[in-house]
Amino acid sequence: MNQPQLTINNSNENLCEIIHQRISESPKKQITFAEYMDLVLYHPQHGYYATHPVNIGKQGDFLTSPHWSNDFGELLAEQFLQMWDIFQRPNNFTLVEMGAGKGILAEQILGYLQQTHLDFFQTIEYLIIEKSEVLKAEQKQRLNSYQVKWFEWDEISHNSITGCFFSNELVDAFSVHKFIIENEEIREIYVTSDSDGKFVEITDKISTPEIAEYFKLVDIDLLSFPNVEGYQSEVNLQALDWMKILSDKLLKGYVLTIDYGYQAARYYNPVRREGTLQCYYQHHRNNDPYWNIGRQDITAHVDFTALEKQGNLSGLETLGFTQQGLFLMALGLGDRLNELSNNQGFSIEEVFRRREVLHSLIDPIGLGNFGVLVQSKGLTEQEKKQTLKGLSMPPMR
């Protein structure tokens, strides 16, 4: 199962040596792909997110919605404002952003609320949970004029948060297990070293029964697929643990997850035989995670069915699942487009630029097709009846 090699390989040699050592120290001289991916992305000294302070944005490897304009963060702020209103404007309302990147989204949200909804701004407590020390340092510099706090998960008490946990393009960066169907059996894909010192993939029995349990959770019978031999995909067990943590920390409020992905029936469609794993380097996509090790991002699409069902098991209730385009339109992006049509105070060049930016956020073949999952915990029946603005448009079929 050797992977095709791309032309220029600029891997982090120190990181490669650490991975080789981890493989050599393992009992069977192999590690799961999830362990490999975790080292590549999150090793504290040499991982991708530890060594690349400019890996997100126009000069980096990929763009997220906040990089296009302030509109994304401002519209999210409107949704948070309504959540606060639904709770009768309590004195304590906490926003917990998980995986805050460069802090751009936080800056958009807080700046907008400070300018337009000062009463809410003065009420909220804004927390960030960030694994990367490099990104955390950049966030602190960018947000130094705001009252933002950084926490680790174990520093947040059980049932202590009233407000909203939210993330944008976080879950796709969780480490995933890779598997393949061989001889009518689910086999896990492991990473080992060959005689030339290259990383290669081999298959073996699954490393944990949680993989088989995952497919029961999402109600997918892989072995019933037609022509199933050789089918490959991923399992994100870390996302299930994440759901459990969120529910444990949340006393009352919402969980808002925005990411690219599918519900399980589409994610594990028999036609998608190679899975969803992809890598990004300088805005170019490839499918070789053994190239430019530590220099490129590795992601996998999100299985939203797994988040919903694990959330339900953990005490969360699903309020709705929609697409980012519909979510933002319901929050007022359409009104912003209409204002451009009236051309109030904008030059023609500014109108075209703004229109292009706003359309990019709702593009049905791009960012607009991202999934938006909203879950809740601890709401009263009366509070549940109040539809969130972002979910007020019917989902696309």
Side-chain angles (χ1 to χ4, degrees):
M1 296 187 64
N2 291 296
Q3 296 292 317
Q5 294 297 306
L6 302 177
T7 52
I8 300 174
N9 196 334
N10 186 33
S11 295
N12 182 321
E13 293 184 3
N14 291 323
L15 180 60
C16 289
E17 182 57 37
I18 290 168
I19 299 171
H20 280 300
Q21 182 175 353
R22 184 71 63 88
I23 290 172
S24 67
E25 291 173 351
S26 64
K28 299 181 72 173
K29 310 302 180 189
Q30 63 191 35
I31 58 175
T32 64
F33 184 84
E35 186 174 357
Y36 169 83
M37 184 172 171
D38 189 67
L39 287 169
V40 168
L41 296 183
Y42 299 110
H43 186 275
Q45 283 79 47
H46 302 292
Y48 175 78
Y49 286 108
T51 59
H52 281 61
V54 196
N55 55 15
I56 308 172
K58 294 180 180 179
Q59 304 302 318
D61 298 323
F62 59 92
L63 285 166
T64 61
S65 291
H67 289 87
W68 290 97
S69 71
N70 290 341
D71 299 274
F72 183 76
E74 291 175 1
L75 293 171
L76 276 186
E78 289 289 342
Q79 182 59 91
F80 298 143
L81 175 66
Q82 188 208 5
M83 293 173 177
W84 183 55
D85 283 337
I86 290 173
F87 289 174
Q88 303 298 311
R89 301 192 165 206
N91 292 328
N92 297 303
F93 192 91
T94 304
L95 295 177
V96 185
E97 184 178 2
M98 302 164 290
K102 293 187 170 187
I104 293 174
L105 181 56
E107 185 179 37
Q108 292 172 358
I109 292 169
L110 291 168
Y112 178 75
L113 291 176
Q114 186 178 40
Q115 292 175 10
T116 60
H117 302 288
L118 188 59
D119 51 351
F120 182 38
F121 174 81
Q122 293 173 335
T123 299
I124 60 173
E125 182 177 28
Y126 202 105
L127 310 183
I128 290 178
I129 297 174
E130 178 59 61
K131 196 171 183 179
S132 167
E133 292 299 327
V134 171
L135 290 175
K136 189 183 297 184
E138 185 158 355
Q139 293 160 13
K140 290 182 177 181
Q141 182 176 1
R142 181 182 298 276
L143 302 171
N144 61 6
S145 62
Y146 298 106
Q147 297 296 316
V148 177
K149 299 178 182 178
W150 282 260
F151 278 79
E152 302 293 331
W153 281 118
D154 57 7
E155 295 176 316
I156 299 178
S157 301
H158 169 71
N159 281 347
S160 63
I161 299 295
T162 294
C164 181
F165 283 96
F166 71 100
S167 63
N168 178 56
E169 293 194 59
L170 169 69
V171 184
D172 64 87
F174 286 177
S175 301
V176 295
H177 293 259
K178 289 180 66 179
F179 69 88
I180 187 171
I181 305 297
E182 289 183 335
N183 300 318
E184 299 182 351
E185 180 184 8
I186 300 176
R187 304 266 291 175
E188 188 157 2
I189 295 173
Y190 293 82
V191 181
T192 188
S193 305
D194 67 8
S195 57
D196 295 327
K198 294 180 180 179
F199 296 118
V200 295
E201 295 182 344
I202 58 173
T203 66
D204 203 344
K205 295 180 179 180
I206 58 176
S207 59
T208 170
E210 293 178 9
I211 293 176
E213 293 167 5
Y214 180 97
F215 290 108
K216 293 180 181 178
L217 176 70
V218 298
D219 195 25
I220 295 293
D221 183 4
L222 293 170
L223 299 182
S224 69
F225 289 177
N227 304 314
V228 70
E229 186 69 15
Y231 175 94
Q232 295 186 44
S233 195
E234 314 87 28
V235 169
N236 193 335
L237 297 180
Q238 189 177 350
L240 304 187
D241 294 334
W242 181 68
M243 277 282 106
K244 297 174 186 176
I245 293 171
L246 296 184
S247 182
D248 176 70
K249 306 299 183 182
L250 184 62
L251 173 65
K252 177 179 179 178
Y254 303 89
V255 177
L256 173 63
T257 307
I258 304 174
D259 222 314
Y260 50 90
Y262 314 106
Q263 292 184 311
R266 287 189 63 196
Y267 193 110
Y268 296 109
N269 190 308
V271 177
R272 190 173 287 109
R273 294 183 58 83
E274 301 298 326
T276 72
L277 195 83
Q278 51 197 8
C279 309
Y280 290 92
Y281 179 71
Q282 297 180 354
H283 298 287
H284 292 283
R285 184 173 63 186
N286 69 82
N287 61 358
D288 187 354
Y290 308 105
W291 176 74
N292 270 7
I293 298 168
R295 313 290 191 197
Q296 66 173 353
D297 193 21
I298 306 175
T299 74
H301 282 50
V302 176
D303 176 359
F304 282 100
T305 300
L307 298 186
E308 288 188 55
K309 294 204 171 185
Q310 185 59 58
N312 292 341
L313 291 175
S314 303
L316 299 176
E317 182 176 341
T318 299
L319 294 183
F321 177 71
T322 187
Q323 278 72 45
Q324 176 173 304
L326 292 174
F327 186 73
L328 296 179
M329 287 294 287
L331 288 171
L333 190 143
D335 295 334
R336 297 185 177 210
L337 283 169
N338 289 335
E339 290 174 5
L340 288 176
S341 300
N342 296 330
N343 197 15
Q344 298 178 352
F346 294 107
S347 68
I348 294 298
E349 291 79 10
E350 288 172 329
V351 168
F352 281 122
R353 185 192 67 80
R354 283 280 293 147
R355 188 182 299 276
E356 182 180 3
V357 166
L358 291 173
H359 277 293
S360 71
L361 294 173
I362 58 175
D363 182 357
I365 61 172
L367 294 170
N369 197 41
F370 277 28
V372 180
L373 175 64
V374 186
Q375 297 158 291
S376 69
K377 181 184 175 185
L379 274 62
T380 66
E381 290 304 315
Q382 185 61 35
E383 289 164 344
K384 291 177 187 177
K385 290 178 182 178
Q386 300 185 59
T387 302
L388 294 178
K389 289 181 182 178
L391 298 177
S392 61
M393 283 191 176
M396 292 186 294
R397 299 296 181 186

